[in-house]
Amino acid sequence: MTTTSPAGLAAPPDGHPVSDLVGGGTRSPATDAAAALLDQLIARGVRDVVLSPGSRSQALALAVADAEERGLLRLHVRIDERVAGFTALGIGRETRMPAAIVCTSGTAVANLAPAVFEAHHSGVPLLLLTADRPPELRGVGANQTTRQPGIFAPNTRFELDVPTPTEIDDTGEGDQSVMLRDIADQAVSAALGDAVRPAGPVHLNLPFREPLAGSLPPWWGADAGEGAHTVDAPLENDQSGALYQGGGGIGDADEALAADEEPLVLPRGIRTIVLAGEGAGPRAEALAWEG
């Protein structure tokens, strides 16, 4: 019996990995590149990926689906890119770690703009992984396409039009993989912020040539997310905790309740409604959860 995987791919029977269905044993520079990038994002503590499926981003979707099967991350599928953007924004706001959004190329990318603007002004870590056409297929008048590099530039902490993958890498240690791991490091660091600039959105534009997907590289099964925690394990302090500052970096970071503090308990009454907006603090959040 064939089922459907969380990434929207048909899942193979008998419990085989998602990757067994794709490529038929053939390899693709796109998939090798996606695996190297995702591997380093996982190693840096990224635990949530929000996927809006599409053809150009299938290499990323394949790697993400397989990583979820291995327990390395949580995959959230949202068909609409605008919904995906705000889902990732909410995850970043709650966890203080950037959730990665994966979407296909073209005008789909523009639907992420509202979430990007909100993340920028609110100081929330966010990571955009937008698939794109290679340079030779840009600006040719194809339907539902647009110029993606720099589309969010004024509102990002870091943005890059990544070189188009060209290499098959059996070891995960080739020049292309090393470059992509370095880019992933820069992206997570920029999204988390530092003492100079607060957390915020980062945009990696990822062009892929056909074939758009193939079998995952041989090193992936043994080394994927090497050194990373599973999603059920707590993250180390140095891997989590974005510098979150409301109002685009102006204001105080949220602080947890002290050990001897208790949330203010309001007496229950008839038709009582409490509205606590963004930045109301941990006491208001505790009331919301317990009320």
Side-chain angles (χ1 to χ4, degrees):
M1 177 178 179
T2 300
T3 58
T4 301
S5 77
L9 302 171
D14 304 323
H16 293 292
V18 171
S19 57
D20 286 359
L21 265 191
V22 182
T26 61
R27 299 283 297 285
S28 162
T31 302
D32 282 26
L37 182 73
L38 183 64
D39 183 59
Q40 190 62 23
L41 292 177
I42 293 171
R44 284 296 308 272
V46 173
R47 290 295 178 272
D48 291 275
V49 176
V50 185
L51 171 67
S52 289
S55 62
R56 188 66 60 172
S57 59
Q58 60 188 273
L60 288 163
L62 166 65
V64 167
D66 194 77
E68 188 202 35
E69 286 188 348
R70 298 176 188 278
L72 297 173
L73 52 75
R74 290 173 288 263
L75 174 58
H76 315 264
V77 179
R78 300 293 184 270
I79 302 301
D80 183 89
E81 289 83 8
R82 183 181 170 95
V83 175
F86 280 102
T87 299
L89 179 71
I91 293 170
R93 190 185 298 278
E94 183 69 19
T95 66
R96 303 294 185 258
M97 282 296 294
I101 307 170
V102 173
C103 83
T104 193
S105 62
T107 52
V109 177
N111 289 304
L112 302 177
V116 172
F117 299 159
E118 181 70 20
H120 166 60
H121 291 292
S122 300
V124 176
L126 186 66
L127 183 57
L128 313 171
L129 306 179
T130 61
D132 197 0
R133 292 174 161 229
E136 67 271 15
L137 294 181
R138 298 175 185 173
V140 297
N143 289 335
Q144 294 186 320
T145 61
T146 190
R147 177 174 173 78
Q148 295 176 207
I151 192 171
F152 306 120
N155 301 285
T156 56
R157 304 297 183 264
F158 173 69
E159 64 95 15
L160 181 66
D161 189 23
V162 178
T164 306
T166 58
E167 299 177 8
I168 298 293
D169 185 0
D170 290 333
T171 66
E173 299 176 354
D175 291 344
Q176 176 178 279
S177 296
V178 170
M179 175 194 69
L180 288 164
R181 293 176 193 278
D182 181 63
I183 290 171
D185 273 334
Q186 294 181 61
V188 174
S189 295
L192 290 174
D194 54 32
V196 177
R197 200 171 190 193
V202 166
H203 179 206
L204 298 182
N205 193 60
L206 301 162
F208 296 119
R209 291 189 179 97
E210 295 185 0
L212 297 176
S215 296
L216 286 161
W219 59 263
W220 172 262
D223 300 329
E226 184 176 3
H229 302 276
T230 62
V231 293
D232 293 324
L235 300 177
E236 298 293 337
N237 289 336
D238 62 352
Q239 288 183 301
S240 62
L243 178 64
Y244 175 77
Q245 296 175 310
I250 302 174
D252 297 327
D254 283 349
E255 297 180 359
L257 288 172
D260 58 348
E261 286 188 289
E262 294 292 336
L264 176 64
V265 179
L266 299 179
R268 294 183 180 274
I270 300 175
R271 302 175 64 84
T272 298
I273 298 176
V274 177
L275 299 178
E278 170 64 25
R283 291 179 182 271
E285 183 174 359
L287 176 62
W289 282 105
E290 296 176 7

